[in-house]
Amino acid sequence: MSKKVVFDKGKPKEFQYEFFGPIGALIVVMMTTTVVFGLYFGCNENGCPAHTQKIISMIQNTTFIDAYSFQLYLCWLGALILAWHVLPGEWVKGLPINEKGTRLEYKMNGFATSSLVLGITCGFIYIKGPECMELVWSRFLPLMTSAYVVSIFLSVYVYISSFIGKKQLAEGGNSGNVLYDWFIGRILNPRIGKFDIKVFCELRPGLILWIFLDIALACRQYVMLNGRITDSMVLVLIFHVWYVLDSLVCESAVLTTIDVTTDGFGYMLSFGDLVWVPFTYSLQARYLSFRPVDLGIGYTTAIILIQLLGYYIFRGSNSQKNRFRNDPTHPSVKNLKFIQTKRGSRLLIDGWWGKSRHMNYFGDWLMAWAWCLPVGFGSAIPYFYVAYFGVLLIHRYGRDDHKCNEKYGDDWKKYCQIVKYRIIPYVY
Ligand code: NDP
């Protein structure tokens, strides 16, 4: 992290840059763009990795974006926004966003939305046959570019809107540097009326599109193999759909995550939610759609066990913290030991949160392995997810540790002395 002096109500204040400031932000923008397009051109039916010559000729002969795909993508977004409006859902309060204790309300109908999308998709495939999903998988690149264009537009829009009226700004997104603030997110809760752009993007257009793409790619394999899909594809599909539906069933848990409570909404989240998640997380399904793998019963069972263990840790720890923070008298958390901080919040030192400071990350990473192993060992590229996710979680751990250190001071130091391991008990 690098530092800069900014002025808060006329007084100088030290501002902590993340990602090494504006230059780092620019590098991250270029790198992430290169990776999403690089994975598409570098891993496909021409090879994984594809030969450089083939990549160049593919880039030269490919349509990156066309009007029809862009319209399809806008229809997708429009349909999800409409579903947010019309489907019933409970209004849930988020955590306080300022010293006055203001709490925003969020409509929770993500699960109903995803069920509707899945229902319509499966019904459509049943009636028209898996071939109908060619409309989607054959447009993978133009749809990805469309999502990319929308994510840039959205990040510019929220950046500009952060200057209009009195908006709650993210502490880490108000450096005064245009590039950096646009990248990291200047505004904390961009909203149009009661429609919260950040929470909507976090859980819907990207996550639901991810499994929608997976289904389209499974249909592609089905057509290619003349009427069957492999056990590896079934595993990938079940794990991904499970992960997404689980996030949507526990939708309100997103309200206590760093993305919602602390980070502004800028390019990082806009691109991450709309482009990165659906188009890179579906890599294993895309790989299996052109290079099918049959696993057999032994290997399949081993992968399922890794997934179950990962899920057990991931869901158990996230739900435990969520319940402890929102309903501390609930029987499942009321006897857990905690530290009472001077800031008022309580930090668990028991249950999952006594084993390491982020058992939830460990569970998530184990599941990442279960998602990659079905592709077998023919190529290292589909393992990109597990490697990237490991780096993301370590980086995220550092950011969170820094935030908590600043927020809780000595209480955080005491907490770290009691809960010694960062992510993996006895290892890290
Ligand atoms: P957490 O949900 O772990 O939230 C961290 C916050 O929880 C801290 O800032 C602090 O907030 C509070 N906290 C920390 N320690 C304790 C404790 N002992 N007791 C009570 N509260 C505590 O972090 P994330 O938002 O990063 O992750 C949420 C989930 O999302 C994880 O499972 C992660 O794996 C997953 N994730 C998945 C991604 C993906 O791409 N698939 C990307 C990022 C995350 P406070 O200030 O309120 O005290």
Side-chain angles (χ1 to χ4, degrees):
M1 289 191 195
S2 51
K3 292 174 184 172
K4 180 189 178 186
V5 175
V6 292
F7 290 86
D8 183 18
K9 293 179 192 133
K11 290 187 194 135
K13 186 182 136 193
E14 212 170 63
F15 181 88
Q16 295 273 1
Y17 273 135
E18 291 183 56
F19 298 97
F20 303 105
I23 300 289
L26 188 63
I27 292 171
V28 174
V29 172
M30 291 192 306
M31 266 174 52
T32 48
T33 305
T34 308
V35 169
V36 286
F37 287 95
L39 284 175
Y40 178 78
F41 287 106
C43 182
N44 51 54
E45 35 292 79
N46 295 325
C48 187
H51 195 274
T52 317
Q53 214 46 48
K54 288 209 165 141
I55 296 178
I56 294 170
S57 105
M58 198 177 164
I59 292 174
Q60 284 167 346
N61 298 308
T62 303
T63 310
F64 274 80
I65 188 162
D66 57 76
Y68 186 62
S69 305
F70 193 65
Q71 284 160 8
L72 274 182
Y73 187 73
L74 291 184
C75 285
W76 168 259
L77 284 183
L80 293 180
I81 295 170
L82 186 67
W84 177 86
H85 274 285
V86 298
L87 293 178
E90 193 190 343
W91 285 89
V92 175
K93 280 198 165 105
L95 295 179
I97 55 166
N98 53 28
E99 285 85 25
K100 283 187 238 154
T102 313
R103 294 172 73 184
L104 298 173
E105 282 197 311
Y106 301 85
K107 189 176 183 184
M108 298 286 139
N109 61 0
F111 182 67
T113 305
S114 60
S115 306
L116 187 68
V117 171
L118 286 182
I120 294 174
T121 309
C122 294
F124 208 68
I125 294 170
Y126 183 73
I127 295 164
K128 297 269 183 194
E131 295 80 6
C132 70
M133 293 302 274
E134 186 180 348
L135 178 80
V136 180
W137 62 256
S138 65
R139 285 190 171 74
F140 194 91
L141 179 65
L143 286 173
M144 185 164 85
T145 316
S146 304
Y148 187 73
V149 171
V150 171
S151 77
I152 301 278
F153 172 81
L154 191 58
S155 54
V156 172
Y157 164 76
V158 290
Y159 177 73
I160 294 171
S161 78
S162 72
F163 291 94
I164 302 166
K166 203 170 176 300
K167 301 276 167 46
Q168 178 82 35
L169 302 181
E171 242 177 65
N174 193 16
S175 70
N177 182 290
V178 178
L179 172 67
Y180 182 81
D181 292 349
W182 161 77
F183 166 82
I184 204 93
R186 186 168 187 272
I187 183 166
L188 186 62
N189 318 99
R191 290 190 150 209
I192 300 172
K194 289 194 114 184
F195 178 73
D196 191 285
I197 298 174
K198 180 162 73 169
V199 169
F200 173 79
C201 287
E202 281 280 288
L203 289 174
R204 293 159 196 233
L207 278 187
I208 303 175
L209 183 57
W210 166 23
I211 53 175
F212 183 69
L213 288 173
D214 270 7
I215 293 172
L217 293 161
C219 287
R220 183 192 188 192
Q221 191 193 62
Y222 183 89
V223 173
M224 204 182 98
L225 296 181
N226 298 317
R228 78 173 183 101
I229 60 170
T230 58
D231 47 9
S232 52
M233 182 63 104
V234 173
L235 281 190
V236 167
L237 210 53
I238 291 176
F239 293 165
H240 287 180
V241 171
W242 176 358
Y243 188 83
V244 170
L245 292 188
D246 178 74
S247 312
L248 294 167
V249 168
C250 307
E251 194 178 2
S252 58
V254 77
L255 303 181
T256 58
T257 60
I258 307 169
D259 287 2
V260 174
T261 58
T262 314
D263 288 346
F265 188 77
Y267 169 86
M268 194 170 73
L269 279 184
S270 172
F271 170 84
D273 292 339
L274 301 189
V275 187
W276 187 268
V277 167
F279 295 96
T280 68
Y281 287 19
S282 55
L283 176 62
Q284 296 91 28
R286 194 164 64 76
Y287 177 85
L288 291 170
S289 78
F290 60 78
R291 202 174 280 182
V293 173
D294 286 303
L295 295 170
I297 190 78
Y299 199 44
T300 301
T301 311
I303 295 174
I304 291 174
L305 288 177
I306 297 173
Q307 166 75 15
L308 289 176
L309 178 65
Y311 179 76
Y312 177 62
I313 298 173
F314 165 81
R315 180 46 56 218
S317 49
N318 278 324
S319 300
Q320 192 171 63
K321 181 185 68 146
N322 205 34
R323 177 146 285 156
F324 178 75
R325 281 288 170 90
N326 292 318
D327 184 10
T329 55
H330 191 276
S332 64
V333 291
K334 72 171 184 194
N335 294 324
L336 293 176
K337 290 188 214 129
F338 60 85
I339 294 179
Q340 178 67 56
T341 68
K342 289 178 214 79
R343 282 286 297 249
S345 317
R346 301 192 296 181
L347 294 171
L348 276 170
I349 49 165
D350 204 355
W352 288 114
W353 296 83
K355 298 196 186 332
S356 83
R357 292 174 218 156
H358 273 290
M359 276 302 274
N360 51 350
Y361 289 2
F362 179 43
D364 216 347
W365 194 58
L366 276 178
M367 286 195 286
W369 276 101
W371 301 356
C372 293
L373 286 167
V375 302
F377 301 105
S379 167
I381 294 182
Y383 284 81
F384 161 79
Y385 178 70
V386 85
Y388 140 78
F389 200 48
V391 173
L392 175 138
L393 292 175
I394 291 173
H395 178 252
R396 205 173 167 91
Y397 168 81
R399 290 182 76 209
D400 193 47
D401 182 61
H402 178 76
K403 181 207 105 175
C404 291
N405 210 5
E406 297 267 297
K407 182 172 175 182
Y408 296 120
D410 287 344
D411 288 325
W412 188 250
K413 289 186 181 71
K414 187 173 152 197
Y415 168 72
C416 293
Q417 272 165 8
I418 299 171
V419 184
K420 291 201 168 45
Y421 298 100
R422 298 179 179 102
I423 299 175
I424 309 179
Y426 306 104
V427 178
Y428 176 75

Short mmCIF file of all heavy atoms in Angstrom, two decimals, residues 95-119:
data_model
loop_
_atom_site.label_atom_id
_atom_site.label_comp_id
_atom_site.label_asym_id
_atom_site.label_seq_id
_atom_site.Cartn_x
_atom_site.Cartn_y
_atom_site.Cartn_z
N LEU A 95 -26.06 -3.35 7.37
CA LEU A 95 -25.38 -2.83 8.56
C LEU A 95 -25.34 -1.30 8.49
O LEU A 95 -25.48 -0.73 7.41
CB LEU A 95 -23.95 -3.39 8.63
CG LEU A 95 -23.83 -4.91 8.80
CD1 LEU A 95 -22.35 -5.32 8.82
CD2 LEU A 95 -24.50 -5.37 10.09
N PRO A 96 -25.14 -0.62 9.64
CA PRO A 96 -25.05 0.84 9.61
C PRO A 96 -23.95 1.31 8.67
O PRO A 96 -22.88 0.71 8.64
CB PRO A 96 -24.71 1.20 11.06
CG PRO A 96 -25.15 0.03 11.86
CD PRO A 96 -25.00 -1.18 10.98
N ILE A 97 -24.23 2.35 7.88
CA ILE A 97 -23.22 2.81 6.91
C ILE A 97 -22.52 4.09 7.36
O ILE A 97 -21.63 4.57 6.67
CB ILE A 97 -23.85 3.01 5.51
CG1 ILE A 97 -25.05 3.96 5.57
CG2 ILE A 97 -24.21 1.71 4.86
CD1 ILE A 97 -25.50 4.47 4.23
N ASN A 98 -22.93 4.66 8.48
CA ASN A 98 -22.25 5.85 8.99
C ASN A 98 -22.41 5.96 10.51
O ASN A 98 -23.07 5.10 11.12
CB ASN A 98 -22.77 7.12 8.30
CG ASN A 98 -24.29 7.21 8.40
OD1 ASN A 98 -24.89 6.70 9.35
ND2 ASN A 98 -24.91 7.85 7.43
N GLU A 99 -21.78 6.99 11.07
CA GLU A 99 -21.82 7.12 12.55
C GLU A 99 -23.24 7.34 13.06
O GLU A 99 -23.55 7.02 14.20
CB GLU A 99 -20.94 8.29 13.01
CG GLU A 99 -19.45 8.02 12.98
CD GLU A 99 -18.88 8.29 11.60
OE1 GLU A 99 -19.48 9.10 10.84
OE2 GLU A 99 -17.85 7.68 11.24
N LYS A 100 -24.08 7.91 12.20
CA LYS A 100 -25.47 8.16 12.63
C LYS A 100 -26.28 6.87 12.71
O LYS A 100 -27.40 6.85 13.20
CB LYS A 100 -26.15 9.11 11.63
CG LYS A 100 -25.74 10.56 11.79
CD LYS A 100 -26.59 11.43 10.88
CE LYS A 100 -25.71 12.20 9.93
NZ LYS A 100 -26.34 12.58 8.68
N GLY A 101 -25.70 5.79 12.19
CA GLY A 101 -26.38 4.49 12.27
C GLY A 101 -27.38 4.25 11.16
O GLY A 101 -28.23 3.36 11.27
N THR A 102 -27.27 5.03 10.06
CA THR A 102 -28.20 4.84 8.92
C THR A 102 -28.07 3.41 8.37
O THR A 102 -26.97 2.93 8.14
CB THR A 102 -27.84 5.84 7.79
OG1 THR A 102 -27.67 7.11 8.36
CG2 THR A 102 -28.89 5.84 6.70
N ARG A 103 -29.22 2.77 8.19
CA ARG A 103 -29.20 1.41 7.60
C ARG A 103 -30.09 1.40 6.37
O ARG A 103 -31.26 1.79 6.44
CB ARG A 103 -29.69 0.38 8.62
CG ARG A 103 -28.74 0.25 9.80
CD ARG A 103 -29.34 -0.61 10.89
NE ARG A 103 -29.34 -2.01 10.52
CZ ARG A 103 -29.89 -2.97 11.28
NH1 ARG A 103 -30.45 -2.67 12.41
NH2 ARG A 103 -29.86 -4.22 10.88
N LEU A 104 -29.53 0.95 5.24
CA LEU A 104 -30.30 0.89 4.00
C LEU A 104 -31.07 -0.42 3.93
O LEU A 104 -30.67 -1.41 4.54
CB LEU A 104 -29.36 1.00 2.79
CG LEU A 104 -28.56 2.29 2.68
CD1 LEU A 104 -27.55 2.19 1.54
CD2 LEU A 104 -29.49 3.48 2.45
N GLU A 105 -32.15 -0.39 3.14
CA GLU A 105 -32.94 -1.60 2.99
C GLU A 105 -32.72 -2.21 1.60
O GLU A 105 -32.54 -1.49 0.62
CB GLU A 105 -34.43 -1.27 3.13
CG GLU A 105 -34.83 -1.08 4.59
CD GLU A 105 -36.33 -1.15 4.76
OE1 GLU A 105 -37.04 -0.46 3.99
OE2 GLU A 105 -36.78 -1.89 5.62
N TYR A 106 -32.73 -3.54 1.55
CA TYR A 106 -32.47 -4.25 0.30
C TYR A 106 -33.56 -5.30 0.07
O TYR A 106 -33.92 -6.04 1.00
CB TYR A 106 -31.12 -4.97 0.37
CG TYR A 106 -29.97 -4.05 0.63
CD1 TYR A 106 -29.61 -3.68 1.93
CD2 TYR A 106 -29.22 -3.53 -0.42
CE1 TYR A 106 -28.55 -2.83 2.19
CE2 TYR A 106 -28.15 -2.68 -0.18
CZ TYR A 106 -27.82 -2.32 1.12
OH TYR A 106 -26.77 -1.49 1.36
N LYS A 107 -34.03 -5.36 -1.19
CA LYS A 107 -35.06 -6.36 -1.51
C LYS A 107 -34.38 -7.70 -1.83
O LYS A 107 -33.50 -7.76 -2.69
CB LYS A 107 -35.88 -5.89 -2.72
CG LYS A 107 -37.10 -6.76 -2.97
CD LYS A 107 -37.92 -6.16 -4.12
CE LYS A 107 -39.19 -6.94 -4.37
NZ LYS A 107 -39.93 -6.43 -5.52
N MET A 108 -34.79 -8.74 -1.13
CA MET A 108 -34.16 -10.04 -1.28
C MET A 108 -35.05 -10.97 -2.11
O MET A 108 -35.91 -11.66 -1.56
CB MET A 108 -33.92 -10.67 0.11
CG MET A 108 -32.99 -9.88 0.98
SD MET A 108 -31.30 -10.07 0.41
CE MET A 108 -30.65 -8.43 0.56
N ASN A 109 -34.87 -10.95 -3.42
CA ASN A 109 -35.62 -11.90 -4.25
C ASN A 109 -34.72 -12.53 -5.31
O ASN A 109 -35.18 -12.91 -6.39
CB ASN A 109 -36.89 -11.28 -4.86
CG ASN A 109 -36.55 -10.10 -5.76
OD1 ASN A 109 -35.39 -9.76 -5.93
ND2 ASN A 109 -37.55 -9.50 -6.36
N GLY A 110 -33.44 -12.64 -4.98
CA GLY A 110 -32.47 -13.22 -5.92
C GLY A 110 -32.74 -14.69 -6.19
O GLY A 110 -32.60 -15.16 -7.33
N PHE A 111 -33.16 -15.42 -5.16
CA PHE A 111 -33.39 -16.86 -5.35
C PHE A 111 -34.60 -17.06 -6.27
O PHE A 111 -34.57 -17.91 -7.16
CB PHE A 111 -33.59 -17.56 -4.01
CG PHE A 111 -33.79 -19.04 -4.16
CD1 PHE A 111 -32.76 -19.86 -4.61
CD2 PHE A 111 -35.02 -19.63 -3.88
CE1 PHE A 111 -32.93 -21.22 -4.79
CE2 PHE A 111 -35.20 -21.00 -4.06
CZ PHE A 111 -34.17 -21.79 -4.51
N ALA A 112 -35.65 -16.25 -6.04
CA ALA A 112 -36.84 -16.36 -6.89
C ALA A 112 -36.45 -16.04 -8.33
O ALA A 112 -36.87 -16.72 -9.28
CB ALA A 112 -37.92 -15.40 -6.40
N THR A 113 -35.59 -15.03 -8.51
CA THR A 113 -35.15 -14.65 -9.86
C THR A 113 -34.40 -15.79 -10.53
O THR A 113 -34.67 -16.16 -11.67
CB THR A 113 -34.24 -13.39 -9.79
OG1 THR A 113 -34.94 -12.37 -9.10
CG2 THR A 113 -33.85 -12.91 -11.16
N SER A 114 -33.44 -16.37 -9.78
CA SER A 114 -32.64 -17.45 -10.39
C SER A 114 -33.51 -18.67 -10.68
O SER A 114 -33.32 -19.35 -11.69
CB SER A 114 -31.46 -17.82 -9.48
OG SER A 114 -31.96 -18.27 -8.25
N SER A 115 -34.47 -18.95 -9.80
CA SER A 115 -35.35 -20.11 -10.04
C SER A 115 -36.15 -19.90 -11.31
O SER A 115 -36.33 -20.82 -12.11
CB SER A 115 -36.32 -20.31 -8.87
OG SER A 115 -35.61 -20.39 -7.68
N LEU A 116 -36.60 -18.65 -11.49
CA LEU A 116 -37.38 -18.34 -12.70
C LEU A 116 -36.51 -18.52 -13.94
O LEU A 116 -36.91 -19.17 -14.92
CB LEU A 116 -37.89 -16.89 -12.61
CG LEU A 116 -38.86 -16.45 -13.69
CD1 LEU A 116 -40.18 -17.19 -13.56
CD2 LEU A 116 -39.11 -14.94 -13.59
N VAL A 117 -35.29 -18.00 -13.88
CA VAL A 117 -34.38 -18.10 -15.04
C VAL A 117 -34.09 -19.58 -15.34
O VAL A 117 -34.17 -20.03 -16.49
CB VAL A 117 -33.05 -17.34 -14.78
CG1 VAL A 117 -32.03 -17.63 -15.87
CG2 VAL A 117 -33.30 -15.85 -14.68
N LEU A 118 -33.77 -20.35 -14.28
CA LEU A 118 -33.46 -21.77 -14.49
C LEU A 118 -34.68 -22.52 -15.02
O LEU A 118 -34.56 -23.37 -15.91
CB LEU A 118 -32.98 -22.42 -13.19
CG LEU A 118 -31.56 -22.05 -12.74
CD1 LEU A 118 -31.20 -22.80 -11.48
CD2 LEU A 118 -30.55 -22.37 -13.84
N GLY A 119 -35.85 -22.21 -14.47
CA GLY A 119 -37.08 -22.88 -14.90
C GLY A 119 -37.34 -22.63 -16.38
O GLY A 119 -37.59 -23.56 -17.16
#
